[in-house]
Amino acid sequence: MSDEELVKAIKEGNLSQCNDALSSFYFRPGLKQKSITKILQMGAKQEDAKDIFNESLVIMIKNIQRGKFEGNSSLETYFIAICKRRWLDLIRKKENTKVDLESDKSLFEKYSPPEPSPEMTLIKLEENKILQTLI
């Protein structure tokens, strides 16, 4: 199935035509291997690359339905670009949530626990007296 036919089938929304088009794209010779290899070359793990491949397929379908695919490149090239972008987005997300405790060590060294309140001091003294009598 050609790229134009595939895009037309996805845009029209006929479920059986859309499924046929997607299965022909999904099972294109070498597409999955080429896409996963590109993602692995960028530092992904095998499981992540497979997940990104499937997520990118959904993104591509949505982009086609919204008219974002202009046809300036082949659908395969467009799809691989989506895979790369998805991986880079995941890397950025991981970097933003990553906490490096070693570099933030000074924050912990400067921290000193608050002084106990007078009530807590009295309670501790009473507890110590009770403990002394029990012993």
Side-chain angles (χ1 to χ4, degrees):
M1 185 175 271
S2 72
D3 287 352
E4 294 82 22
E5 292 171 333
L6 204 149
V7 169
K8 184 179 177 185
I10 291 173
K11 279 186 175 181
E12 287 178 358
N14 183 338
L15 190 60
S16 68
Q17 285 180 335
C18 188
N19 284 339
D20 291 342
L22 290 174
S23 65
S24 74
F25 181 77
Y26 188 86
F27 294 110
R28 274 190 184 176
L31 174 70
K32 190 170 189 174
Q33 186 60 39
K34 189 186 299 185
S35 303
I36 290 176
T37 301
K38 289 281 185 187
I39 300 166
L40 291 173
Q41 289 172 348
M42 295 173 73
K45 295 179 183 173
Q46 186 75 27
E47 305 84 39
D48 292 336
K50 288 179 182 177
D51 290 342
I52 288 170
F53 178 83
N54 292 323
E55 291 171 11
S56 298
L57 189 62
V58 173
I59 292 169
M60 184 189 74
I61 294 166
K62 288 180 181 178
N63 285 351
I64 291 172
Q65 290 172 339
R66 294 177 184 152
K68 291 185 178 181
F69 176 68
E70 298 172 355
N72 297 334
S73 64
S74 72
L75 203 54
E76 188 172 314
T77 303
Y78 182 70
F79 177 73
I80 291 173
I82 291 172
C83 291
K84 289 179 181 179
R85 175 65 58 113
R86 182 72 184 128
W87 172 244
L88 291 174
D89 288 345
L90 287 175
I91 289 173
R92 274 189 226 109
K93 188 183 277 186
K94 285 180 184 178
E95 286 177 358
N96 288 338
T97 58
K98 192 184 293 185
V99 177
D100 186 14
L101 294 178
E102 198 60 38
S103 66
D104 293 339
K105 198 175 187 179
S106 61
L107 293 174
F108 296 108
E109 290 172 349
K110 292 178 186 176
Y111 176 77
S112 60
E115 293 291 322
S117 67
E119 293 85 16
M120 287 305 295
T121 307
L122 285 173
I123 290 171
K124 287 289 181 191
L125 285 172
E126 287 179 16
E127 285 176 351
N128 285 342
K129 282 182 184 177
I130 293 172
L131 233 115
Q132 288 292 331
T133 56
L134 289 174
I135 293 176

